[in-house]
Amino acid sequence: MSKPIVRFAPSPTGRIHIGNARTALLNALFARREGGVFVLRFDDTDLERSKREYADAIETDLAWLGIPPNIVVRQSERFALYDDAAERLRMAGRLYACYETAEELEFRRKRLLARGLPPIYDRAGLKLTDDDRVKLEAEGRRPHWRFKLDHETVTWQDLVRGECHVDCASLSDPVLVREDGTYLYTLPSIVDDIDLKITHVIRGEDHVTNTAVQIQIFEALGGNPPVFGHHNLLTTLSGEGLSKRLGHLSLAGLREAGLEPQAASSLAVLVGTAESVRPVASLDDLARLIDFAHISRAPAKFDEHELDQLNAKLVHEMPYEAVKDRLETLDADGGEAFWLAVRTNLTKVSEAAPWWNVVRGPVNPVIEDRAFVDAAAELLPPAPWDATTWKTWTEAVKARTGQKGKALFMPLRLALTGLDHGPELAALLPLIGPERASARLAGRAA
Ligand code: GLU
């Protein structure tokens, strides 16, 4: 296969969510695996709704996921190309002017449906003479422009869905240019796919029905249609589609909640495929798991709580170097030994901060049995302390007091940390150190 060139083509009209991340990751990781190019194309021809701040935020989100694009293009800067393509289609007789109002079209649609006929546009625009057009325009009407479909069956090999056929005789000629001269999504998308030499269009299955039409337009413009792959869409557990309304599932929301990008990317790529959903820390490894032919045809239902579980599993394995800077920012950089002591107790990296406070203090000790804790304090081994100190100490306390199991460990935990749960004390004790440990066992905040 020659090197793929793929694109992720969001409209910058809001924050992107985890379902959009699925499309972006499938494209970017496929390109990465095959040594190809990943283009970020902003579909911002709708100048009213598109915002530069959303576009910038999308770039931030992709960078957070670890898939910055190789190239960024903005459709708002490329209108000349679209005008030129529209003109070429007009000259070739494939783009024709239509003057119906939305109400007229709706009326005709209803009439066809009432007669049990498919509501296909009747191509009235094609039958207009020059005189008719002059008259209509004199009445103040402005044309919208439709692409004249060839009435034949279009077939393509979809990477996900296998062989697909659409009989274009069953479709209305699509509108490419509105009355006010603005473009619908279709034509600019194809012009850019040709211009940027896109080899694979990987996108959500909500675009399947557009594909046959798009293949005809590619051909009418003298372009080679790319390979298409339409992946299933993510839905919530109740089957609700994701929308930009679901702010908490926006990538920014997940980032702000302190989730690891790899938790989001593992879920976004693996859910609804033949692979089990599991944490994959390296994007190269995740890229190797992409297999378009084994993406399910059914919507991919995903459980938000799964994100937390994936995140926890990732955090439990994270090496110190990977979190050092963030621990510093949290004012919780207790060094490698601290990180290794606490990481398996965390769901998110930020939860390390309270444990660093437990180590560093001050902690208000909880002492329920004064005599027991006094006996334990007397038996604290001399410095220096290491990973064996806890065992040496608790064996001595056990021998002296006769306590074992929970009755032995819980009073020591409560005195040393002020809490009844937490990371292994064998790992925490050397970090707390003899001075603070003695003070806490004596009942002093330290
Ligand atoms: N802007 C379109 C969308 O977000 C792009 C579709 C495509 O990939 O062709 O749905």
Side-chain angles (χ1 to χ4, degrees), residues 391-405:
K391 189 156 188 273
T392 316
W393 180 41
T394 50
E395 272 170 8
V397 178
K398 181 177 173 185
R400 167 82 63 91
T401 63
Q403 298 291 12
K404 54 184 196 254

Side-chain angles (χ1 to χ4, degrees), residues 7 9-11 41 43 185 189 201 203 207:
R7 84 298 194 279
S11 315
R41 184 187 86 200
D43 285 4
Y185 139 82
S189 178
V201 168
R203 58 187 177 189
H207 287 285

Side-chain angles (χ1 to χ4, degrees), residues 269-278 289 291 293-296:
V269 169
L270 298 177
V271 68
T273 72
E275 294 290 335
S276 61
V277 176
R278 57 190 184 275
L289 296 175
D291 177 359
H294 287 99
I295 292 179
S296 162

Side-chain angles (χ1 to χ4, degrees), residues 246-267:
L246 293 166
H248 60 299
L249 291 175
S250 72
L251 294 185
L254 301 180
R255 183 167 66 241
E256 279 151 23
L259 289 175
E260 302 302 310
Q262 293 95 329
S265 54
S266 301
L267 186 72

